[in-house]
Amino acid sequence: MKTPLTYVLMRSVIALLVLGLFALLGAGLAGTGPWSPLAAGTEDLVDLFQTLLSSGVWQ
Amino acid sequence: MAKLIGYLIGVAAGLAALGGYLYGSYLLLVQVLLPFLLGTVLLGVFLGLVLGVASVITSYWTAPRDLSPQEYREGRTMVGAKDPGPDLAWPLYGLAQARRDIERCWTTAATAGERPWKLSSRSFFGGDWQLWWFFWPIPVLVLLMLSVMSLTSVVVSIVLTAVALLVSTVVTVGQVLVAGVLRSVEWGWQRAVRAEASCPYCYYVSRRPAYRCRSCSELHRDVRPGRLGVLSRRCDCGALHPTTVWRAEGHFPAVCQRCGSGLEGGAATVRDVRVSIFGDVSAGKTRFLYAALDALALLAKRSGLPFSHPTEEARREAERALHVIRSGGDTAKTSPGSLPTALTCSIGKGPSRALVHLFDAAGEQYGDGGLHDSLGFLHSSRCLVFVIDPFSVAAVRDRALGANPAAVQAASPAAGDVEFLYTGVVRRIRDSGVKSRDQRLALVVSKADLLAASGIDVPSESDAIADWLTGLGLHNVVLSARQDFAEVRFFAVHSTAGACAEPSRAADEAIRWVLTASGIRLPASVKEVSPA
């Protein structure tokens, strides 16, 4: 049973698109690419968390 | 006293242990849980991404699971239905396989993500679980990480689902649009030229033939662009076949949808004309068929039209017929024991090409009510030819016997009643649901050459022939024919080859009218076309 070429093509396109989306997300978190503003947002979130930990009531 | 002291010591020890536990928990909370909280969440996200991406790669690249043509057919066939379901070919990706791939991705992610949950569940909630919960921040961190991991893998699967649905929908909509256009063009063409697939053996007529895969012999009954492919389809055996009847025709052999017999080239792509010749035993049906074939061959030759027989069997039969009619030989009696096979010829070229099927059954079969239902070609013919033997009419026979007994003996007159046979045949055709406006009739008086030899003059014009027949007592046949059919034309023909017949008596006129009434454009008649 030979899988049709169209199936292989469609699957490849879908998988590449998904991986590409996550690659863009990763690049954005690293501060590059079209989604680079994500990096600043993430840094703000981490800073907030660290601030809460260092100045919180826990200490 | 000692007992009280012991009790107090016990209480103090208990409080100390509780305090120690709470202090330890506080330390774990502050020193372990909170500092590692962010890391735990990030680790969960990372593991979720790895799990989700691995599921995508597994489901779409390394180990996809195909929906086979058999599974697709089973899924679309109702239990107990007579319809065998779709052909055994791979369906379009977006219509069947896309959903299965999405499900496979979700299943793979769920199965892979289930293992760490089961392991943690056994550790934290089964067996020696109390020990773990003594250090409760650790199980909390692990469970938090697993939750984040599962959530992330769900997000990956949702993203995949959205992307897969989007891509599949866009591609499938495009495919459906192209398939719709191709189908419309094919449908329009077939309607315009009245292209059909008619079987010369079982007389079944369908919009398109079935095609037999050369590799696995599987039948493809519907090669229209659609669910199984737009421009081409892949057979279950892996062979690639084109869609549409035009492209399929040159690719694999066309067969009848009902009996599986091979069909001629051009089935369902060119105009398909079926002409049924009926009449009494020895009325001259076969002789007329041969004379008509001769006229067609002559006409095609003189006008430069391509004329051929699509199958070897038809070519041999035609050669035999032409030899008989041109040499003036006797026509063999048509076998009453078997149903006729159409004598098929192809005439014309390009878009105006047509397949002409000439049906000639033995006269006995028209009088047999049981066999009549088997004569399906009568129902599917747009034009019928009713051959009347004039010598079967007592008035004509008696007069001819007086003038030229040899001619009557040569005529071998039909013995049956013309009106009885006509009424029986036409009533059964109408009973089968064929409407009168869908059919035309050529009423042919045969053996005109023998009539002339007997000194009986037959008119040559259609209305005059009708009047002549009316005068012979066949007025019921003449009147009924004009009511039963959309159009009727009367002819008197010689039982000889076109070259030997008088111009107004040649079968050429009759067969020309029959074919023209069926939509075939022919050049001027044999006599008018200048010899090549």
Side-chain angles (χ1 to χ4, degrees):
Chain A
M1 204 163 64
K2 188 180 175 185
T3 305
L5 184 64
T6 49
Y7 282 27
V8 178
L9 282 175
M10 288 290 288
R11 283 173 177 146
S12 300
V13 167
I14 291 168
L16 284 173
L17 276 174
V18 171
L19 296 181
L21 276 176
F22 284 104
L24 276 178
L25 183 68
L29 289 173
T32 59
W35 292 352
S36 54
L38 278 176
T42 311
E43 273 180 27
D44 290 345
L45 199 67
V46 172
D47 287 346
L48 178 66
F49 193 80
Q50 295 294 352
T51 306
L52 283 174
L53 278 183
S54 58
S55 60
V57 294
W58 319 105
Q59 301 300 327
Chain B
M1 188 65 183
K3 200 174 180 179
L4 181 64
I5 291 171
Y7 177 74
L8 288 174
I9 289 173
V11 169
L15 287 173
L18 181 63
Y21 173 72
L22 288 175
Y23 183 67
S25 296
Y26 166 76
L27 287 178
L28 281 170
L29 177 69
V30 174
Q31 301 298 325
V32 178
L33 182 61
L34 292 178
F36 285 99
L37 190 60
L38 185 61
T40 303
V41 170
L42 291 178
L43 182 63
V45 169
F46 175 74
L47 290 177
L49 281 175
V50 170
L51 180 66
V53 170
S55 304
V56 172
I57 291 172
T58 304
S59 312
Y60 280 76
W61 270 334
T62 57
R65 285 194 186 155
D66 293 329
L67 180 74
S68 69
Q70 288 93 343
E71 289 175 298
Y72 182 68
R73 173 185 273 185
E74 286 163 13
R76 293 192 60 83
T77 307
M78 290 177 68
V79 178
K82 286 183 182 176
D83 183 6
D87 296 336
L88 272 186
W90 293 80
L92 291 180
Y93 179 84
L95 292 178
Q97 188 63 48
R99 185 179 160 188
R100 174 174 270 221
D101 282 350
I102 291 169
E103 286 173 358
R104 168 121 171 93
C105 184
W106 279 90
T107 310
T108 307
T111 308
E114 198 179 12
R115 287 179 194 163
W117 273 108
K118 278 187 176 171
L119 190 67
S120 307
S121 176
R122 275 201 299 273
S123 303
F124 301 146
F125 302 106
D128 299 328
W129 62 275
Q130 300 90 342
L131 191 63
W132 273 111
W133 286 100
F134 192 73
F135 306 103
W136 60 269
I138 293 174
V140 166
L141 279 180
V142 172
L143 293 176
L144 177 68
M145 184 200 68
L146 291 180
S147 300
V148 172
M149 180 191 77
S150 298
L151 196 64
T152 308
S153 74
V154 166
V155 169
V156 173
S157 297
I158 288 173
V159 170
L160 171 102
T161 304
V163 169
L165 286 178
L166 183 70
V167 171
S168 303
T169 304
V170 169
V171 172
T172 306
V173 165
Q175 288 174 320
V176 168
L177 286 175
V178 175
V181 170
L182 290 174
R183 271 189 183 217
S184 303
V185 171
E186 184 178 283
W187 180 85
W189 168 262
Q190 288 186 319
R191 295 279 291 186
V193 304
R194 289 184 172 175
E196 290 168 321
S198 62
C199 179
Y201 305 99
C202 74
Y203 321 129
Y204 184 70
V205 179
S206 55
R207 295 287 295 175
R208 65 198 64 80
Y211 296 89
R212 196 178 294 285
C213 176
R214 291 186 195 277
S215 303
C216 65
S217 298
E218 179 65 31
L219 277 185
H220 291 258
R221 293 184 179 277
D222 186 358
V223 294
R224 286 178 300 174
R227 291 176 173 274
L228 301 180
V230 178
L231 298 176
S232 60
R233 56 166 57 183
R234 189 170 289 282
C235 181
D236 187 33
C237 69
L240 198 63
H241 301 307
T243 58
T244 71
V245 287
W246 298 298
R247 295 173 63 223
E249 183 187 22
H251 178 78
F252 46 2
V255 298
C256 173
Q257 291 272 10
R258 188 164 72 180
C259 71
S261 302
L263 298 182
E264 299 84 5
T269 59
V270 300
R271 184 181 296 276
D272 195 86
V273 175
R274 298 169 292 278
V275 179
S276 297
I277 303 167
F278 70 98
D280 204 351
V281 179
S282 188
K285 302 181 294 300
T286 306
R287 198 74 181 176
F288 171 75
L289 169 69
Y290 290 0
L293 193 66
D294 174 61
L296 270 181
L298 201 61
L299 177 68
K301 186 179 176 184
R302 289 182 174 174
S303 56
L305 275 178
F307 181 79
S308 61
H309 300 281
T311 63
E312 184 58 27
E313 184 186 354
R315 193 185 62 77
R316 278 201 303 270
E317 175 64 18
E319 276 182 0
R320 197 176 62 77
L322 292 176
H323 173 72
V324 168
I325 196 74
R326 286 173 182 170
S327 65
D330 290 334
T331 310
K333 168 84 181 76
T334 308
S335 168
S338 58
L339 291 168
T341 299
L343 179 55
T344 303
C345 54
S346 164
I347 188 163
K349 61 182 175 182
S352 60
R353 182 181 162 224
L355 283 176
V356 180
H357 308 277
L358 300 164
F359 293 94
D360 169 34
E364 291 87 344
Q365 292 174 335
Y366 295 108
D368 187 336
L371 265 177
H372 192 275
D373 290 337
S374 306
L375 304 177
F377 54 84
L378 287 169
H379 310 153
S380 65
S381 296
R382 288 198 175 88
C383 212
L384 302 173
V385 178
F386 179 36
V387 179
I388 294 177
D389 179 2
F391 291 97
S392 66
V393 180
V396 174
R397 190 170 56 242
D398 293 344
R399 193 175 155 192
L401 272 173
N404 188 355
V408 177
Q409 191 178 359
S412 179
D417 183 75
V418 175
E419 187 178 337
F420 179 76
L421 187 134
Y422 170 84
T423 309
V425 170
V426 173
R427 193 185 68 238
R428 282 166 179 156
I429 292 175
R430 296 292 167 256
D431 286 348
S432 69
V434 181
K435 294 172 182 168
S436 59
R437 65 172 179 273
D438 293 337
Q439 290 187 313
R440 289 176 170 80
L441 178 72
L443 208 152
V444 171
V445 176
S446 63
K447 305 174 185 175
D449 49 334
L450 295 174
L451 282 176
S454 306
I456 300 172
D457 187 33
V458 189
S460 55
E461 294 300 317
S462 176
D463 289 340
I465 296 171
D467 292 342
W468 184 75
L469 288 172
T470 303
L472 290 177
L474 295 177
H475 49 278
N476 280 341
V477 173
V478 173
L479 288 173
S480 300
R482 284 176 167 156
Q483 289 176 349
D484 290 334
F485 292 88
E487 191 179 356
V488 182
R489 188 69 68 88
F490 297 84
F491 301 90
V493 301
H494 281 193
S495 307
T496 56
C500 308
E502 290 174 26
S504 59
R505 306 289 189 212
D508 166 66
E509 295 297 326
I511 197 66
R512 271 180 59 78
W513 181 81
V514 165
L515 297 186
T516 306
S518 303
I520 298 179
R521 288 184 183 177
L522 292 170
S525 70
V526 173
K527 302 296 179 286
E528 295 164 5
V529 173
S530 59

